[in-house]
């Protein structure tokens, strides 16, 4: 019977041509996901207001704390030294969630052993903006979650968490969010 | 060891793909880092990302053999329904019996009504108490609705309840806010003349909602002799979900579905008057029903999290001329989780389920009584204690259930997980679980088959009829399981997950020969009654290994392997029970191997190959029918010519024209083959 052979040849052809098609349809290389995420976090800090007491003196830096395994650590470290709203940005990588004093923003790269909820709650009580790309982050009490769209990144915001942390997000940020939860929407 | 038949083809394909993989573009690291952080927020949100995929919560500290099948996994595998998607998890046996029927289990004892696996959809049990199994053909929700499928191998009884003897499958649907806008899907192919689906998502005053509808028609497959079978499958289904917030920190979900699904089958109905002992009859099996589910989650002042869930489920399954079951189930569940001190994570819950049925049976079936109800009341507690904070955790839990068949059933478990570093973890577990009798076990009388006359020893045809025996089934099936597992992240792009287990089963249901009499109408025959007895013990042991490797940013390899050994034994002197015990050894494939390769050369293209091998079944249906080992290959190519449009071409079961995966058990269906097939799918999202 010819059919199985013909089908096998077709599949082989498709597999061999695949790479060629890819090159031909070549799009300009998209930016690495890690760098986009780090850049998004920088922008979140730009559009969120911390209470004056949390910020310290006029020259005190914004402290961004990366928590968890090394995943995305390098991309965050690259933000160190940038200027944000007239202050410098300082990045601490591999911070323990229990040791978050001095952080303004915490990015959780990993699920803590105790689970997300106790950690997001504790960090919110300390007035820290919690951001992550973990699935279901804002449902677990996180403030901003980076979520995948079809082929780009989006974000969603938990307004109750922002309230609990004493933070204010600008209306511009909320408008760009794909979804909002909390505070009776 | 025999070489895999047709192994050359997938190997060649892999090599071809390897040869074509372009060298990763030399990243100008410093420059690109600057460029990303210099972009405005709007621009960042518009930048194409190659591997935009959800990062599921890490299983690193999970004290169980768990695997999460993500939404992306399902999309890229080309699976068209939930049983096909379940093949993505290691250790799960999925055998396609016909176009519209599957046998799905974990760690042994498979069958169309495999009864050792608890399956939940958003916390609603879809495990039917009629035959103690899942009728997958009527659980065919919109696959795009599924956020993830959590597969937990091993007893999940302490948290999830009875009948989670070998595992729990939890199908979780997407949140309404993740399915906003419009989605239209059209699919057509060799086996699937057509499928259409549409979904609409929008906002409400306090949250989000979606509504969807789906319809499809599936052709019949062929039987062992190459004749077209009668297993057509048609379905019309609709559903909705609404998520909202009601006050500070509290959320609610309301969801529902309704369906009408005519399916076909062909049964060899036992008939003493027929020379072969059976009449091959086309059966039309229509499933209709729906459910409504509501759930509310909130937080207390002291930080405790609570959840209250309730659902009502109606199902009407009509095998015209044979059996019709109408069932209504109501369930209420409450759970509360609180942190006690710095070291204890405590969760407890109570639940109540009431299920009432009305069964009209004829011909080969009789159900006595016609109407019955089952009640299930349960309470569970579990404490997670941090013995050494962030390093060693102990988990002790137990569930106490009361059902109206076997009374009170305690199901305890004890687990420990050691996480010496953030890259390694070791866990161990000891648990006990219970499987309760089904409605059919308790009340069904079924004419199984007729053994044609074999003169001179057996001059008359023999009709085997199974009758319920109240004495035989007061005891539930019990299993004690010991498990052990290891997870290791070897590099940023390479991780492995291994689990090993030993299970000891008691009181597995078997069938013993009972009374025998000669009946003269309609023709003289011998009526041999069979009683179900809980007389078989068994032990199973095995291990599962899965590896996740990303050799290049755009290329991902996921090999997995599972091994299973089943042995049954009995102390009964009944010949039928003894041969049934020996037959247990052949009911599960000893090995299953899976290899997935995913290649994503850009944000607009996806290439996927999935090679699977399932070992031989000596005795698929418990009465000696062997099924040969088989290898199969699925391939998918997807293209996104426009941002809103995705086109994909999928080939399934490509290695062979057709092959058999299972022999039908319990219901006398004709054995059918799984055919090579293709389909084309267009997905438009705006």
């Amino acid at each position: 019977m010819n059919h199985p052979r013909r089908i096998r040849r077709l599949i082989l052809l498709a597999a061999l041509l695949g790479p060629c098609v890819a090159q031909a349809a070549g799009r300009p290389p998209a930016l690495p996901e890690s760098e986009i995420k780090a850049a998004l976090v920088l922008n979140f800090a730009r559009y969120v207001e911390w209470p004056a007491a949390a910020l310290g003196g006029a020259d005190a830096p914004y402290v961004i704390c990366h928590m968890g395994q090394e995943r995305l650590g390098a991309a965050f470290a690259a933000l160190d030294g940038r200027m944000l709203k007239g202050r410098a940005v300082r990045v601490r990588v591999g911070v323990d969630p229990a040791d978050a004093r001095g952080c303004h923003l915490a990015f959780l790269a990993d699920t803590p052993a105790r689970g997300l909820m106790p950690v997001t709650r504790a960090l919110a009580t300390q007035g820290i903006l919690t951001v992550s790309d973990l699935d279901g982050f804002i449902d677990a009490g996180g403030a901003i979650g980076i979520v995948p769209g079809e082929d780009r990144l989006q974000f969603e915001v938990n307004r109750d968490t922002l309230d609990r942390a004493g933070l204010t997000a600008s209306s511009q940020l909320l408008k760009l969010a794909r979804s909002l939860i909390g505070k009776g929407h | 060891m025999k070489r895999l038949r047709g192994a050359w083809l997938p190997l060649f394909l892999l090599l071809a793909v390897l040869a074509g993989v372009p060298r990763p573009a030399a990243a100008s690291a410093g420059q690109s880092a600057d460029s990303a952080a210099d972009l405005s927020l709007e621009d960042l949100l518009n930048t194409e990302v190659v591997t935009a995929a959800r990062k599921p919560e890490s299983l690193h500290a999970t004290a169980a053999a768990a695997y999460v099948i993500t939404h992306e996994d399902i999309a890229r595998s080309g699976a068209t329904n939930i049983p096909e998607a379940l093949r993505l998890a290691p250790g799960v046996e999925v055998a396609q019996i016909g176009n519209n029927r599957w046998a799905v289990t974990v760690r042994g004892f498979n069958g169309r009504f495999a009864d050792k696996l608890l399956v939940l959809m958003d916390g609603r049990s879809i495990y039917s108490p009629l035959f103690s199994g899942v009728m997958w053909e009527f659980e065919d929700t919109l696959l795009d609705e599924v956020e993830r499928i959590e597969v937990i191998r091993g007893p999940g009884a302490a948290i999830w309840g009875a009948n989670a003897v070998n595992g729990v499958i939890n199908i979780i649907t997407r949140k309404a806010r993740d399915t906003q806008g419009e989605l239209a899907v059209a699919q057509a192919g060799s086996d699937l003349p057509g499928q259409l689906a549409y979904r609409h998502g929008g906002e409400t005053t306090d949250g989000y909602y979606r509504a969807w509808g789906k319809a499809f028609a599936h052709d019949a497959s062929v039987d062992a002799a190459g004749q077209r079978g009668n297993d057509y499958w048609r379905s019309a289904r609709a559903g909705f979900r609404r998520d909202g917030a009601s006050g500070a920190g509290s959320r609610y979900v309301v969801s529902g579905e309704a369906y009408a699904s005519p399916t076909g089958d062909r049964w060899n109905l036992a008939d003493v008057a027929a020379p072969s002992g059976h009449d091959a009859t086309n059966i039309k099996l229509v499933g209709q029903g729906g459910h409504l589910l509501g759930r509310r989650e909130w937080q207390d002042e002291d930080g405790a999290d609570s959840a209250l869930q309730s659902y009502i489920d109606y199902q009407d399954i009509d095998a015209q001329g044979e059996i019709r079951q109408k069932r209504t189930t109501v369930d209420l569940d409450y759970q509360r989780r609180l942190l006690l001190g710095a070291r204890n994570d405590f969760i407890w819950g109570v639940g109540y389920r009431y299920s009432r049925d009305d069964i009209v049976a004829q011909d080969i079936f009789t159900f006595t009584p016609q109407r019955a109800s089952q009640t299930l009341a349960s309470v569970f507690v579990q404490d997670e204690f941090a013995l050494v904070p962030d390093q060693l955790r102990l988990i002790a839990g137990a569930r106490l259930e009361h059902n109206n068949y076997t009374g009170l059933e305690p199901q305890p478990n004890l687990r420990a997980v050691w996480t010496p570093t953030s890259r390694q973890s070791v866990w161990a577990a000891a648990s006990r679980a219970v499987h309760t009798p089904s409605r059919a076990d308790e009340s069904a009388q079924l004419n199984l088959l007729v053994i044609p006359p074999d003169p001179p020893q057996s001059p008359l045809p023999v009709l085997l009829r199974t009758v319920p025996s109240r004495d035989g089934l007061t005891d539930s099936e019990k299993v004690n399981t010991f498990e052990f597992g290891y997870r290791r992240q070897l590099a940023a792009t390479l991780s492995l997950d291994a689990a090993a287990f030993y299970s000891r089963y008691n009181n597995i249901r078997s069938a013993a020969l009972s009374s025998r009499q000669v009946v003269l109408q309609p023709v003289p025959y011998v009526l041999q009654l069979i009683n179900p007895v809980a007389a078989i013990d068994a032990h199973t042991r095995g291990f599962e290994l899965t590896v996740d490797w990303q050799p290049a940013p755009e290329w991902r390899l996921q090999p997995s392997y599972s091994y299973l050994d089943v042995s049954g034994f009995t102390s009964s002197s009944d010949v039928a029970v003894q041969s049934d015990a020996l037959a247990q050894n052949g009911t599960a494939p000893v090995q299953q191997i899976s290899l997935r390769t995913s290649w994503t050369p850009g944000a607009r293209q996806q290439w996927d190959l999935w090679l699977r091998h399932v070992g031989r079944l000596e005795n698929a249906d418990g009465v000696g029918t062997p099924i040969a080992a088989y290898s199969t290959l699925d391939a998918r190519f997807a293209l996104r010519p426009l941002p809103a449009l995705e086109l994909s071409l999928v080939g399934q079961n490509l290695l062979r024209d057709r092959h058999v995966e299972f022999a039908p058990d319990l219901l006398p269906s004709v054995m059918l083959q799984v055919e090579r097939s293709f389909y084309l799918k267009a997905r438009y999202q705006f």
Side-chain angles (χ1 to χ4, degrees):
Chain A
M1 206 200 268
N2 266 341
H3 288 272
R5 271 207 200 195
R6 212 181 298 161
I7 288 164
R8 282 180 185 174
R9 257 189 251 139
L10 270 169
I11 297 168
L12 271 174
L13 208 61
L16 286 167
L17 276 181
C20 308
V21 173
Q23 299 288 46
R27 307 243 149 221
L31 285 168
E33 195 177 320
S34 55
E35 268 139 42
I36 300 181
K37 285 181 179 172
L40 279 171
V41 170
L42 191 66
N43 276 278
F44 297 151
R46 181 172 290 140
Y47 291 104
V48 166
E49 299 273 316
W50 275 263
L55 292 174
D59 288 333
Y62 280 108
V63 180
I64 295 181
C65 297
H66 167 281
M67 297 179 175
Q69 290 186 46
E70 308 92 73
R71 187 181 74 91
L72 299 177
F76 275 85
L79 297 175
D80 191 287
R82 297 199 134 246
M83 296 305 284
L84 181 70
K85 296 189 277 191
R87 297 164 185 267
V89 170
R90 288 279 159 258
V91 176
R92 291 162 50 190
V93 177
V95 175
D96 190 307
D99 184 29
R101 183 164 305 188
C103 298
H104 294 110
L105 187 157
F107 180 86
L108 278 73
D110 227 343
T111 315
R114 291 202 89 187
L116 277 174
M117 271 189 152
V119 171
T120 54
R121 209 172 293 158
L123 292 172
T125 320
Q126 296 174 62
I128 299 172
L129 178 67
T130 47
V131 185
S132 178
D133 59 348
L134 292 171
D135 191 15
F137 185 63
I138 63 170
D139 298 289
I144 303 181
I146 298 174
V147 292
E150 282 297 309
D151 60 351
R152 53 207 66 196
L153 295 174
Q154 313 270 277
F155 68 97
E156 45 189 23
V157 179
N158 184 335
R159 300 169 73 173
D160 284 340
T161 307
L162 288 176
D163 273 355
R164 186 180 298 154
L167 302 168
T168 323
S170 85
S171 55
Q172 200 177 346
L173 185 72
L174 296 179
K175 217 167 19 141
L176 287 171
R178 187 178 79 176
S179 0
L180 302 171
I181 67 168
K183 220 169 151 182
H185 183 62
Chain B
M1 207 200 281
K2 267 202 191 149
R3 250 191 313 177
L4 297 178
R5 270 190 62 186
W8 68 269
L9 176 61
L11 282 173
F12 199 111
L13 286 172
L14 268 168
L15 286 172
V17 170
L18 264 171
V21 168
R23 298 263 162 269
S28 43
Q31 191 192 9
S32 54
D34 281 85
S35 20
D38 286 329
L39 292 176
S40 72
L41 186 54
E42 289 87 340
D43 285 344
L44 282 171
L45 296 173
N46 271 323
T47 309
E48 257 179 19
V49 171
V50 172
T51 51
R54 285 194 181 276
K55 174 127 183 60
E57 273 196 49
S58 161
L59 294 172
H60 172 68
T62 306
Y67 187 86
V68 175
I69 302 171
T70 64
H71 178 78
E72 282 71 29
D73 286 335
I74 298 173
R76 294 199 63 157
S77 69
T80 57
N81 49 54
I82 292 172
E84 285 179 8
L86 289 174
R87 290 189 172 125
L88 291 164
V92 181
E93 294 163 37
V94 177
Q96 187 169 349
I97 308 176
N99 254 341
N100 51 22
R101 294 184 303 281
W102 286 269
V104 179
T105 193
V106 168
R107 297 180 175 172
F109 309 104
N110 208 359
R112 180 172 177 190
F113 301 101
D115 59 8
K116 301 205 178 0
L117 192 63
L118 183 63
V119 186
L120 303 163
M121 196 168 305
D122 285 338
R124 175 180 64 99
S125 170
I126 60 174
Y127 175 95
S128 164
L130 175 62
F131 287 114
S132 296
V134 179
M135 297 196 79
W136 294 98
E137 62 270 41
F138 302 128
E139 301 299 339
D140 188 52
T141 193
L142 185 65
L143 214 51
D144 197 82
E145 279 255 300
V146 176
E147 173 59 54
R148 65 181 183 276
I149 302 178
E150 295 170 351
V151 178
I152 299 161
R153 305 173 316 266
I159 293 284
W160 302 107
N163 304 317
V165 160
N166 277 12
V168 181
I169 290 181
N170 205 356
I171 301 160
I172 294 166
T173 59
R174 301 175 79 185
K175 306 181 194 70
R177 68 173 191 265
D178 290 333
T179 55
Q180 294 289 288
E182 315 299 313
L183 172 71
V185 178
Q187 204 169 312
S190 58
D191 239 1
L192 183 71
Q195 173 169 302
L196 286 173
Y198 192 85
R199 184 184 71 207
H200 163 76
E203 291 182 23
T204 63
T205 47
D206 66 346
Y208 301 87
Y209 76 94
R210 67 161 169 266
W212 56 269
K214 158 179 167 173
F216 72 80
H218 224 289
D219 269 349
S221 51
V222 294
D223 67 17
Q227 303 283 35
R228 193 59 46 194
N230 192 42
D231 55 329
Y232 61 85
W233 186 17
R234 289 194 275 280
S235 166
R237 201 167 186 112
F240 80 95
R241 175 168 165 155
R242 182 186 163 137
D243 298 351
S246 53
S250 84
R251 298 190 299 274
Y252 70 86
V253 176
V254 178
S255 69
E257 262 183 60
Y259 64 92
S261 180
T263 71
D265 200 351
R266 186 173 292 153
W267 290 358
N268 289 326
L269 296 172
D271 184 357
V272 286
S276 60
H278 62 256
D279 297 321
T281 313
N282 281 345
I283 297 283
K284 183 170 181 179
L285 190 78
V286 180
Q288 298 178 82
H291 78 267
L292 194 62
L293 180 148
R295 180 182 175 86
R296 184 158 181 269
E297 291 171 10
W298 69 95
Q299 249 173 49
D300 285 329
E301 303 289 301
D302 53 359
D305 297 303
S306 298
L308 181 66
Q309 175 164 298
S310 177
Y311 67 83
I312 177 165
D313 189 307
Y314 175 73
Q315 192 175 58
D316 175 1
I317 295 179
D318 187 5
Q320 292 167 353
E322 296 298 318
I323 180 172
R324 181 173 191 171
Q325 179 216 225
K326 293 187 208 173
R327 173 177 298 278
T328 308
T329 305
V330 177
D331 184 289
L332 187 65
D333 245 290
Y334 174 77
Q335 268 187 35
R336 189 177 170 84
R337 180 181 177 184
L338 48 146
L339 302 172
L340 297 173
R343 292 186 179 224
N344 281 294
D345 191 344
F346 189 79
I347 180 169
W348 65 270
V350 292
Y352 181 78
R353 184 180 307 161
Y354 175 78
S355 184
R356 186 192 179 80
D357 62 47
D358 180 352
I359 301 176
V360 173
Q362 306 152 31
D363 195 16
I364 62 172
F365 290 100
T366 310
F367 267 77
T368 319
Q370 179 176 331
R371 292 198 183 92
S373 61
Q374 294 100 49
T375 59
L376 192 67
S378 59
V379 58
F380 81 87
V381 297
Q382 177 175 286
D383 184 39
E384 222 175 83
F385 176 66
L387 196 62
V388 177
D390 285 336
Q391 289 256 320
L392 183 60
R393 286 185 4 261
L394 292 176
I395 300 149
R399 188 178 183 107
L400 197 59
E401 272 193 358
H402 182 276
N403 68 77
N404 58 319
Y405 286 140
T406 59
L408 211 57
E409 302 281 5
Q411 296 169 96
N413 80 356
L414 192 62
R415 295 170 187 265
V417 60
W418 178 41
T419 49
T421 70
S422 60
R423 291 169 167 273
Q424 287 192 78
S425 64
V426 178
W427 61 271
S431 17
R432 180 180 189 274
V434 149
H435 166 66
T436 54
S438 66
R439 170 82 149 105
D441 288 335
E442 295 287 324
S443 327
Q445 190 174 296
L446 171 60
N447 290 351
L448 278 174
L449 56 98
V450 169
I451 303 171
D454 183 27
Q457 305 100 308
S458 175
L460 294 175
V462 180
L463 171 65
L464 293 178
R465 175 184 296 166
T466 166
V467 290
S469 154
R470 208 60 187 96
D471 300 337
L473 286 176
T474 46
D475 247 349
S476 54
E477 237 170 69
K478 293 169 180 43
V479 64
N480 292 311
T481 304
F482 302 95
E483 301 173 87
F484 170 79
Y486 178 64
R487 288 188 187 94
R488 173 91 185 245
Q489 180 124 18
L490 295 155
T493 53
L494 177 60
S495 66
L496 67 86
D497 191 329
F501 64 93
Y502 171 75
S503 284
R504 179 81 182 218
Y505 298 80
N506 294 109
N507 297 337
I508 291 182
R509 184 174 76 250
S510 177
L513 297 174
S514 169
S515 71
R516 198 179 167 102
Q517 65 184 108
V518 176
V519 178
L520 295 173
Q521 295 295 331
V523 296
Y525 69 93
V526 175
L527 175 64
Q528 171 70 65
L529 294 184
I530 296 176
N531 272 343
V533 288
I536 289 188
D537 297 338
H539 61 231
T540 63
R541 55 188 153 216
F543 69 89
E544 296 123 6
L545 173 67
T546 151
V547 173
D548 199 328
W549 183 30
Q550 216 166 335
E554 64 274 359
W555 184 23
R556 188 174 178 198
L557 275 174
Q558 290 165 282
S560 77
Y561 175 84
S562 72
Y563 172 84
L564 175 65
D565 174 59
V566 180
S567 356
F569 40 94
T570 181
S571 52
S572 163
S573 52
D574 184 299
V575 178
V577 175
Q578 285 178 347
S579 79
D580 196 10
L582 284 175
Q584 297 300 317
N585 305 30
T587 55
V590 173
Q591 298 183 95
Q592 289 196 115
I593 309 171
S594 163
L595 175 61
R596 285 182 62 206
T597 171
S598 300
W599 187 52
T600 318
R604 304 280 169 122
Q605 266 185 70
Q606 294 173 348
W607 295 82
D608 287 87
L609 284 177
W610 185 13
L611 181 67
R612 287 183 302 112
H613 172 78
V614 176
R616 178 182 171 78
L617 289 176
E618 289 302 332
N619 182 2
D621 52 0
V623 293
T625 311
I627 305 284
Y630 64 90
S631 301
T632 178
L633 177 70
D634 293 353
R636 177 178 182 268
F637 169 54
L639 195 62
R640 191 178 281 125
L642 304 168
L645 175 66
E646 182 187 70
L647 295 173
S648 53
L649 175 63
V650 177
Q652 293 181 305
N653 301 303
L654 294 171
L655 294 182
R656 287 226 290 261
D657 225 6
R658 48 182 73 132
H659 67 275
V660 175
E661 291 186 6
F662 207 72
D665 57 310
L666 189 66
L667 291 180
S669 302
V670 163
M671 195 153 85
L672 292 167
Q673 306 205 52
V674 177
E675 296 177 286
R676 176 187 290 138
S677 63
F678 297 91
Y679 72 83
L680 187 64
K681 178 170 169 179
R683 200 168 170 279
Y684 192 60
Q685 189 158 4
F686 56 101

